[in-house]
Amino acid sequence: MKLARTVVAVALTALALSSCAPPTSNNAAATEDETSGTIRVWLFSEVNQDPKSAVVEEAVTEFEAAHSGASVDIQYIPVDSRAERFKAAFNDPSSAPDVAEFGNTDLASYVASGGLADVSEDIKNWDESKDLDSKILATTEVDGKNYGVPWFVGVRALYYRTDLLQQAGLEVPKTLDEVESAARAMRAANPNMLGISVGGAAQFAAMPYLWAHGGNIATKEGETFVSGLDSAESREGVAAYTRLLQDDICPAQTCAEFGGNASVQQFVAGTSAMTIGGDFNYKAVAESAIKDNFAVVPLPGTTEGTIAPAFAGGNNLGVFNSSTHRTLATDFVKLLASKKYQQKMFDAMGNLPTFSDVQDEVASSNPQVAPFIETLGAGTNFVPVTEAWSTIDAQGFFTGMYQKIVTGKADVETATTEAASAMNAAFGSK
């Protein structure tokens, strides 16, 4: 999960840093482990809340029936205010939940605060854990320890207009170069449309280009991270993505500020021939005016037959370090994150499961998710797992790099050098 921010003034920078900085914590791990009483659970509220609530309530009923004397209090909290809520809970155990849903990009800062419990042994002793997708499980790790159970995952793939591709006499792109050429051709044939709607602020669409060309955001060296944005491979990936934000495909004056949602919305509105969107966008496209004229395939890599590595976004379920109901809390996490309830959450919300076998099951019976499951199977990547990523994200080092290039403020070499330097300062590596 990710929040996009544009910092436009010193005052806003201070605000962004205060809201995204790693939450501090003054509380130690609880020494009690009560086997009865009420466990408090924080889950994120949704625009369409009812289907999620129904599945959760079913899990609560099953849990309470299996745990005499125990009850579950579910509270739904807004995603946008999570930073303040978690920070307050880490500092005041009396206000903290026992279990919480959180985005996987927030993990490192929460662990740095000391607020989440290490559940590594609980996962090892959980029979179903052997089928967890190892790449997705890795997004719950900090220094080799797991601080949550992956509840669902989200990846992006290539959406395209079948009618426009056919009219242009083109085949489905099989490489990133073909994505570029197809986008250019479809805009030429339809000047009022974008060839592919992508954006300077759509970092999760840009990352696959970086990774597919052999580049990386950062690698861990010793106790810290070092940015890899200034490597030759990364620069090649950055250049390939920024070529999409040109007048003959997606003009910078229109697309430079697009984030992921804005990019997909262009496709939903019928004003773009292609886009890079998530499994979580599928329903909106399928209910739009273009519902009969689109298809989805994995975003290809640099060579035919390969798939560009996607960012593995998603949410985890974790146990608070301050919980005085550690066993009950862990049992509830394992139930709600189980194969049974991940299947139910897919049926209710379309959330992609994190178990490999459940992924295969939903793909076989739901053809629309097959491209996303195939993308997962090809291998995914993630942002650097460090609390410094909160600062990097808040200050827009990564997205700012792309926006400088497409607006002509810097060339690829200069922009990547500046971004790498800024990241390294945040990492404390140079």
Side-chain angles (χ1 to χ4, degrees), residues 67-100:
H67 295 79
S68 179
S71 61
V72 182
D73 174 27
I74 304 291
Q75 298 180 29
Y76 290 94
I77 66 171
V79 173
D80 291 346
S81 63
R82 72 192 189 284
E84 294 79 8
R85 294 288 295 265
F86 274 77
K87 181 177 181 178
F90 290 155
N91 279 289
D92 179 15
S94 66
S95 70
D98 299 280
V99 172

Side-chain angles (χ1 to χ4, degrees), residues 20-307:
C20 286
T24 56
S25 175
N26 296 321
N27 57 289
T31 56
E32 300 175 69
D33 186 13
E34 300 173 13
T35 57
S36 63
T38 301
I39 61 169
R40 297 176 61 206
V41 178
W42 283 0
L43 301 177
F44 290 140
S45 56
E46 311 283 348
V47 174
N48 184 16
Q49 181 71 38
D50 290 346
K52 179 177 184 175
S53 297
V55 173
V56 172
E57 283 306 311
E58 184 177 346
V60 168
T61 299
E62 180 175 337
F63 179 83
E64 292 178 345
H67 295 79
S68 179
S71 61
V72 182
D73 174 27
I74 304 291
Q75 298 180 29
Y76 290 94
I77 66 171
V79 173
D80 291 346
S81 63
R82 72 192 189 284
E84 294 79 8
R85 294 288 295 265
F86 274 77
K87 181 177 181 178
F90 290 155
N91 279 289
D92 179 15
S94 66
S95 70
D98 299 280
V99 172
E101 175 185 2
F102 58 91
N104 57 14
T105 56
D106 290 331
L107 174 74
S109 63
Y110 291 172
V111 172
S113 76
L116 293 178
D118 174 3
V119 293
S120 304
E121 289 302 313
D122 303 286
I123 292 174
K124 289 178 182 177
N125 295 327
W126 182 25
D127 289 342
E128 290 191 339
S129 69
K130 68 182 185 301
D131 295 319
L132 283 169
D133 186 313
S134 59
K135 273 278 192 178
I136 300 172
L137 181 60
T139 67
T140 70
E141 291 181 12
V142 175
D143 295 330
K145 298 177 180 179
N146 300 100
Y147 290 89
V149 175
W151 194 18
F152 65 85
V153 65
V155 292
R156 290 159 179 79
L158 181 67
Y159 286 73
Y160 67 95
R161 287 283 296 271
T162 53
D163 54 340
L164 299 182
L165 200 72
Q166 183 178 16
Q167 289 168 18
L170 300 170
E171 295 184 353
V172 178
K174 296 181 176 62
T175 66
L176 289 178
D177 283 346
E178 289 183 9
V179 171
E180 180 182 340
S181 59
R184 186 173 291 110
M186 285 191 283
R187 178 164 169 78
N190 304 274
N192 294 326
M193 299 186 68
L194 303 174
I196 183 171
S197 50
V198 291
Q203 59 184 344
F204 301 131
M207 286 175 181
Y209 276 76
L210 183 78
W211 293 324
H213 285 84
N216 66 80
I217 299 172
T219 55
K220 194 165 188 181
E221 295 185 9
E223 296 301 313
T224 189
F225 282 83
V226 175
S227 177
L229 293 179
D230 53 356
S231 71
E233 295 82 2
S234 291
R235 284 172 173 160
E236 189 176 355
V238 170
Y241 183 76
T242 55
R243 285 198 300 271
L244 301 178
L245 284 89
Q246 303 296 324
D247 288 347
D248 58 353
I249 296 180
C250 193
Q253 62 183 16
T254 299
C255 305
E257 297 296 325
F258 280 175
N261 289 339
S263 300
V264 173
Q265 187 55 43
Q266 295 295 317
F267 189 77
V268 173
T271 56
S272 176
M274 295 189 289
T275 195
I276 299 171
D279 57 276
F280 39 85
N281 298 127
Y282 189 92
K283 184 176 181 181
V285 180
E287 293 176 350
S288 73
I290 64 167
K291 61 184 180 181
D292 297 322
N293 294 303
F294 85 97
V296 186
V297 293
L299 182 67
T302 56
T303 58
E304 187 172 333
T306 63
I307 295 174

Side-chain angles (χ1 to χ4, degrees), residues 327-394:
T327 299
L328 288 175
T330 303
D331 284 353
F332 186 73
V333 166
K334 289 191 289 188
L335 177 65
L336 190 56
S338 67
K339 293 181 181 182
K340 173 182 177 180
Y341 281 98
Q342 285 199 23
Q343 175 72 64
K344 289 178 179 291
M345 286 299 293
F346 170 79
D347 294 338
M349 302 293 291
N351 295 347
L352 288 185
T354 62
F355 293 96
S356 298
D357 53 344
V358 184
Q359 291 171 3
D360 292 341
E361 290 173 15
V362 301
S364 65
S365 56
N366 299 272
Q368 76 275 12
V369 304
F372 304 102
I373 300 298
E374 188 177 353
T375 298
L376 284 171
T380 56
N381 281 337
F382 199 56
V383 298
V385 182
T386 165
E387 63 272 23
W389 184 254
S390 296
T391 299
I392 291 168
D393 186 39

